[in-house]
Structure formats: C-alpha cells, structure tokens
Amino acid sequence: MPMTITEKILAAHCGKKEVAPGELINAKLDLVLANDITAPIAIKEYRATGAKKVFNNERIALIPDHFAPNKDIASAEQCNMLRQFSRENDLSLYFEVGRMGVEHALLPEQGLVVPGDVVIGADSHTCTYGGLGAFSTGVGSTDVAAAMITGEAWFKVPETMKFVYKGKAGKWIGGKDIILRTIGDIGVDGALYRAMEFTGEAIKKLSMAGRLTICNMAIEAGGKNGIIEPDEITEKYVAKRARRKYKFYKSDKKANYVEVREYDLTGMEPQVACPHLPENVKPVSALGSINVDQSVIGSCTNGRIEDIREAAKVIKGHKVHPYVRMIVIPATQAVYKQSIKEGLVDIFIDAGAAFSTPTCGPCLGGHMGILAAGEKAITTTNRNFVGRMGSPKSEVYLSNPAIAAASAILGRIGTPEELK
Amino acid sequence: MKFKGKTWKFGADVDTDAIIPARYLNTSDPKELAKHCMEDSTNPDFMKKMQPGDIIVAEKNFGCGSSREHAPISIKAAGVSCVVAKSFARIFYRNCFNMGLPIFESVEAVEGIKEGDQIEVDADAGVIRNLTSGKEFKVAAVPPFMQELIAAGGLMAYTKKKAGL
C-alpha cells in the first residue's frame, strides 16, 4: 500500500509494515519534551504513580523558556521543579538559563531532533520539527508524564492534506507568508486532526529556517503535524549537527491524500494576520494605516538567525519610530552569538531597539514586552488571540520579520519598500 | 454517567488563552486556575455567575491554540460538569480524556440549546436532552480506545497498570 511520509514514520515506530489513516497505534518515541509551564503538571503526575525510573534519561528534554529567566517567584518555583526533577533523574537534556533557548528553535539547532523521529512535546508548537522530515506533535502534560515512564504514546494515524506551492516568491516573502496565506485560506480548524504535508517547487527552494517556520504554525490550522520531505537542504542542515542516526522518509507517488490544495506564490504580497485569529489574514497592502506601539522579532516561529538577519537588513541605517518599542529576541544562545559576530546587535541597538536574552517572553504574554489596554503590536510570533501579548484590550498582528522591522521604523504597519 | 445543569454558551474557536490566560500560568494549582476560568472569553464574568454543575456549550473548535492542560483543569476545578461543542481542537480533546473532563460532540445539540437552558447529558445513552425545550439530540460516539481510557480511570491509571506500577 502506498503511504505518505507521516504514515511511513508512524509505521516504523510501531513495528508495522504499514498503517492507514484512522488506525490507532502505540508508537515508540525518540524524544519527549516539556517546558516550565507544562512540565510541572507532568512531574506531579509522574511522581504520583510511584515510578522510580524514566524510560531513558537521554531522551527527555526539559526546557525552561516560557517564563525564564524567572519572571516572578511563582515562575521561579516552576522552573525549580524542572531543575530538581532533572537532577534527580540525571536528565542529560535539561537546559539552564544561559544555555537554554526557545525549545523548538533549540532542539533542531542542536541536532537533538532528527529526520525520521517521532517526538511529542507538551507544547503545541512541537509540530515545528516536521520541517526536518520528522513526525512531531503537541500533547498535554499528562501525555508527557505517561511517556516519561513508557517511552511510548498512542496516536490515531491522521489523514494527510497535501499543500503544493509553485511560482516564484518575491522579495521579503518567506515561510511565514506561505503558512499565513495557507491558514487564511483553510481557517484555524481547516486541518483539524490531520497531517499537513507541504510540498512543491517553492518549498524545495526554501531554507531550513523557512521550513521550520511553516511546520511550526501547522497547529494554527488545527493540524496534528506539519511535515516536509527531507532533501539536500535538509541533509546539509542535519549532517553537521545530528547527535543521532537519522533517516529520510518520502511519500510514495501514489500515497493517499484526503485533499490537495495548490497555491501560486508569484506576485504574492507579504501576509499579515489581523486580530484576533491567525486565520484573519490579509495582504499587507490591504491593511490601511494601522499605528503600532510595539514590534517584536523572535519566538519559535521566527527567532532563528535568518529572521534576525532579515530584520537587521531592514533596520540598518534607520531609527525606530519615537512612538514604538522594538524588541528583538534571538531564539537561542547560538543565534545571539552569531548576531553579535555579524554586527546585527549593533544595528538594532543603534536603531534604538532592545535586544534580549532568549525567552518565549511576550509571545504568550509572559514578560519582556507586555501590552497595555488599547495598544497594538506587530510581531513575528504565532498567535494573536485576545490577550495573547498582554491586556485583553490590546491587539496583535502577525507578520514576517521584514514587515515587523519596517513597521517599527514607520510607526505603522508597512513594508521595507516604504522606507526612505 | 449523567450530567444535569444550566448552560453557558460560547462561540466558535474559543482558544486556550481565552479559557485560561497565560498570565496565570505561573501556577498549576487547580483552585488558582479555576478563579480565572474563561476570563478572556466573551463572558469574562463567567466565574462570578456560574454554579457548580453548570455546562459549557460551544460552537466549533473549542480549546484551540496552546497545549496547556491548565485549560481543562481550570474548567473542571471551576465545577463545570461537562463541555458540549460542535467540535474540539485536537490537543484539548486528548487532554480532556487524559485528565478526566467529560466532553461531548454534537452539532445538533449546540444548535438546539440556548444559553440558560437546563440540559441533561446522558453519556451512556448517547443523548442530550434539553429539559427547557423538551428536545433530544444525539451525541457523537466516543471512540473505543477513549472508552477504554475512561474505564481505566484516565491515562495515568492506564499507564500505571501497563507499566506494572
């Protein structure tokens, strides 16, 4: 039976020759992940079972990134739970402040998730690793607690939707625009319970950063996982960093798709998701004049070095608008260091922007840039729900790094072309 | 299993930030989380008005967004007996079965219930009765594995048994 890449990876992890959509399987996990918000519940649940040993102390990643560096006493207690549990169980993948980064940027960068993996994480954006050609999906804390004991998780094999992108993307168009356009098309539950397979000539040319951005936001369409077939670009990315053996899976030519959708990127404008749902997507020129109080570059969606470079290219030689606070947050320490090396930090500071240590911070309204009532932000993050970045009376617009950077200079949502 | 209570209606795509805003996620204490249940939703005074046993009835894709189990925990700890929706977001759905918040899918029930109606959810019979209007609706069947999970007492009890703990 012909299978999709998602079906092949799942079959290989439950010891079967083939699996079909709808089938319930118990899959072996290559990595289990949780953060400072979700791990405390998982740790409590784990301890309540009386379990004495985790399934594998090298395959559980605990990353304090959401409210870390600790934003208040309660957050400090939560981070401390991860720290203590990691020491008790001798977990090799605990990342302390100073070494940590935003989880979904850090794990691929460090070669800790690899093509062909099955990964669960108590964080909805765990679907990011599909950009490497892995099956990865977000779950809750209880799933992680059970997986820390068994090293397994149950899944219903999802149906796959295929998204084909053709045409030549213009300047400033990246993974973010591709995924925003897709979510705008199918809606926030357009891929509910389904695998989203991204393919086509435009994807084949896309950098690993762009691919990770696309798969990162599969959850914003309700998808179970996002996935892209690994190729030479993937090989180049993983060859130098993979800490484990990896395997490239590819969809069979005659694999079954529940739906196929095609998009032509030729002439496509940068896309912006307007409040208060990621599906409220418009081309940037259709927005009219929207003043912004804050511009954020960062997160698991767009905090990689390519994103920081793109924003720096736009900002260079300009000043942030007097009424705007621009906050740049590299997703990992390696991205931070590279930004220093390339002189990007100087560019931002000279322009009047803040440059922060890695954290999820403002993306989920945690810290490092919370909005007051009535304020508006343009941000490279992934969600614009009511209250997502602070006050329930604030508004969040989602875009790529170039648009967020140009808007910081203009004081309103706009494009690099509008800069003098 | 039967749940009887007054209904509170919500729209489509209620996200987990609306159910429990991230600013309260520096704790996982159910009682603390319950205080802020639905605070950023279209009914921010939900906790002031609701009574234990009340039922949330929502349109499609309830619980979309983050994976935070704090969302179903806050609903359960608030005293909501169950949630009826046209559909549920995937991670929220999975979390509810894992941690034990009863949820039911029924398009016709959501369309046939007005806010404030008294309803009875009869899980065994697979029906929802609107006691105010006298109408009856079918509930989508719970998948067999999910029934197994419920019978075992949730995912952790199921896992304990499997791991021989």
Side-chain angles (χ1 to χ4, degrees):
Chain A
M1 191 183 68
M3 288 192 287
T4 65
I5 174 172
T6 295
E7 290 155 7
K8 283 185 182 177
I9 295 173
L10 288 175
H13 283 75
C14 68
K16 291 188 175 181
K17 269 200 176 137
E18 52 185 47
V19 295
E23 194 175 332
L24 205 83
I25 59 158
N26 213 31
K28 291 225 177 301
L29 302 169
D30 296 296
L31 194 77
V32 178
L33 162 74
N35 57 52
D36 52 310
I37 304 290
T38 58
I41 296 175
I43 291 168
K44 277 191 227 168
E45 298 259 20
Y46 173 89
R47 287 192 171 135
T49 64
K52 297 214 167 49
K53 226 177 143 205
V54 296
F55 82 102
N56 183 338
N57 66 350
E58 293 179 344
R59 297 296 180 92
I60 297 170
L62 295 186
I63 307 181
D65 57 358
H66 278 56
F67 292 170
N70 308 335
K71 77 172 177 111
D72 53 25
I73 296 169
S75 304
E77 297 293 348
Q78 296 205 126
C79 290
N80 204 27
M81 269 184 87
L82 274 65
R83 187 176 298 119
Q84 297 309 327
F85 184 81
S86 300
R87 288 179 190 168
E88 279 163 33
N89 290 281
D90 199 18
L91 301 187
S92 64
L93 301 180
Y94 168 75
F95 294 88
E96 194 53 271
V97 169
R99 281 82 86 192
M100 68 84 168
V102 176
E103 50 197 330
H104 310 305
L106 183 71
L107 295 177
E109 172 199 282
Q110 296 295 316
L112 292 165
V113 288
V114 295
D117 271 1
V118 170
V119 177
I120 63 165
D123 188 280
S124 59
H125 294 108
T126 302
C127 51
T128 308
Y129 319 133
L132 296 166
F135 174 88
S136 59
T137 189
V139 296
S141 301
T142 302
D143 269 306
V144 162
M148 288 199 297
I149 299 169
T150 62
E152 294 175 357
W154 64 269
F155 297 109
K156 192 166 88 177
V157 177
E159 294 176 311
T160 298
M161 280 174 99
K162 187 174 176 176
F163 298 85
V164 186
Y165 303 88
K166 55 180 192 180
K168 195 169 176 288
K171 205 180 173 190
W172 308 120
I173 300 291
K176 186 64 160 286
D177 305 286
I178 294 175
I179 190 64
L180 284 180
R181 177 165 172 196
T182 308
I183 298 163
D185 180 38
I186 66 172
V188 290
D189 63 347
L192 192 57
Y193 301 108
R194 290 173 170 174
M196 299 174 80
E197 188 174 322
F198 305 100
T199 157
E201 57 189 85
I203 301 294
K204 288 200 174 76
K205 285 183 206 144
L206 203 61
S207 70
M208 196 49 63
R211 295 178 187 192
L212 291 165
T213 301
I214 290 179
C215 292
N216 172 272
M217 288 188 73
I219 180 65
E220 261 51 76
K224 182 171 202 154
N225 67 310
I227 200 157
I228 293 171
E229 275 189 1
D231 57 14
E232 315 77 60
I233 290 176
T234 321
E235 176 65 32
K236 210 176 153 200
Y237 181 86
V238 294
K240 59 184 177 212
R241 53 186 100 218
R243 310 258 192 109
R244 288 186 273 116
K245 271 191 191 165
Y246 53 89
K247 190 170 172 186
F248 283 9
Y249 291 88
K250 305 221 168 190
S251 292
D252 291 322
K253 281 215 171 88
K254 289 188 174 167
N256 275 317
Y257 295 95
V258 63
E259 201 181 332
V260 180
R261 300 182 83 89
E262 286 191 20
Y263 300 86
D264 188 349
L265 303 183
T266 310
M268 184 177 88
E269 279 186 52
Q271 307 282 300
V272 178
C274 302
H276 291 286
L277 276 180
E279 70 181 24
N280 295 336
V281 176
K282 291 179 186 168
V284 64
S285 69
L287 259 71
S289 185
I290 294 166
N291 292 341
V292 292
D293 304 282
Q294 181 164 297
S295 165
V296 176
I297 312 283
S299 82
C300 57
T301 311
N302 282 118
R304 283 170 280 272
I305 188 65
E306 292 83 350
D307 304 308
I308 308 292
R309 276 184 201 136
E310 183 178 307
K313 202 168 161 188
V314 174
I315 287 288
K316 195 174 181 179
H318 292 277
K319 292 279 180 204
V320 172
H321 189 278
Y323 291 180
V324 178
R325 311 174 301 263
M326 185 183 196
I327 300 166
V328 185
I329 310 175
T332 68
Q333 292 291 75
V335 175
Y336 199 135
K337 217 174 147 186
Q338 188 64 25
S339 302
I340 294 172
K341 207 171 151 188
E342 294 179 21
L344 309 180
V345 181
D346 284 342
I347 293 173
F348 288 112
I349 292 176
D350 289 345
F355 202 90
S356 157
T357 194
T359 179
C360 302
C363 172
L364 79 161
H367 60 155
M368 276 304 295
I370 304 303
L371 301 175
E375 289 192 326
K376 294 185 176 75
I378 178 98
T379 165
T380 68
T381 56
N382 43 56
R383 288 192 177 129
N384 56 354
F385 301 147
V386 171
R388 176 72 182 179
M389 198 173 270
S391 166
K393 291 189 177 108
S394 61
E395 291 185 352
V396 175
Y397 292 78
L398 308 175
S399 76
N400 71 28
I403 296 298
S407 305
I409 302 162
L410 294 164
R412 60 173 171 80
I413 297 177
T415 66
E417 278 76 28
E418 296 178 67
L419 301 173
K420 283 176 201 131
Chain B
M1 239 186 337
K2 275 187 191 174
F3 307 95
K4 210 163 145 181
K6 195 177 112 177
T7 58
W8 296 92
K9 285 202 80 172
F10 291 89
D13 308 313
V14 173
D15 59 80
T16 53
D17 282 87
I19 298 170
I20 181 75
R23 57 187 177 274
Y24 303 118
L25 298 185
N26 54 7
T27 176
S28 59
D29 177 14
K31 275 191 204 141
E32 280 300 312
L33 296 170
K35 284 183 195 164
H36 306 288
C37 182
M38 308 308 286
E39 194 171 299
D40 281 2
S41 74
T42 49
N43 188 356
D45 294 329
F46 177 72
M47 282 310 293
K48 286 183 200 147
K49 298 188 240 165
M50 65 87 62
Q51 297 292 322
D54 284 358
I55 295 170
I56 288 177
V57 177
E59 298 286 324
K60 71 166 179 90
N61 201 28
F62 186 82
C64 64
S66 112
S67 70
R68 64 188 71 156
E69 212 159 299
H70 311 64
I73 289 172
S74 78
I75 293 173
K76 196 179 177 192
V80 171
S81 64
C82 66
V83 182
V84 178
K86 285 188 178 173
S87 64
F88 292 92
R90 188 197 132 252
I91 307 175
F92 185 89
Y93 181 89
R94 190 173 172 118
N95 282 345
C96 288
F97 282 93
N98 285 346
M99 52 69 71
L101 172 69
I103 55 170
F104 302 93
E105 278 183 333
S106 174
V107 172
E108 50 180 277
V110 174
E111 280 171 4
I113 295 169
K114 289 203 234 25
E115 178 152 293
D117 284 356
Q118 285 284 335
I119 67 166
E120 181 182 70
V121 180
D122 186 338
D124 304 319
V127 294
I128 295 173
R129 297 181 192 97
N130 187 332
L131 305 175
T132 306
S133 71
K135 284 184 187 143
E136 198 172 292
F137 316 100
K138 272 202 193 94
V139 176
V142 175
F145 176 70
M146 299 305 212
Q147 291 180 23
E148 219 181 297
L149 270 189
I150 296 167
L155 181 67
M156 290 320 286
Y158 177 87
T159 304
K160 257 179 98 166
K161 205 171 142 195
K162 212 171 119 186
L165 290 165

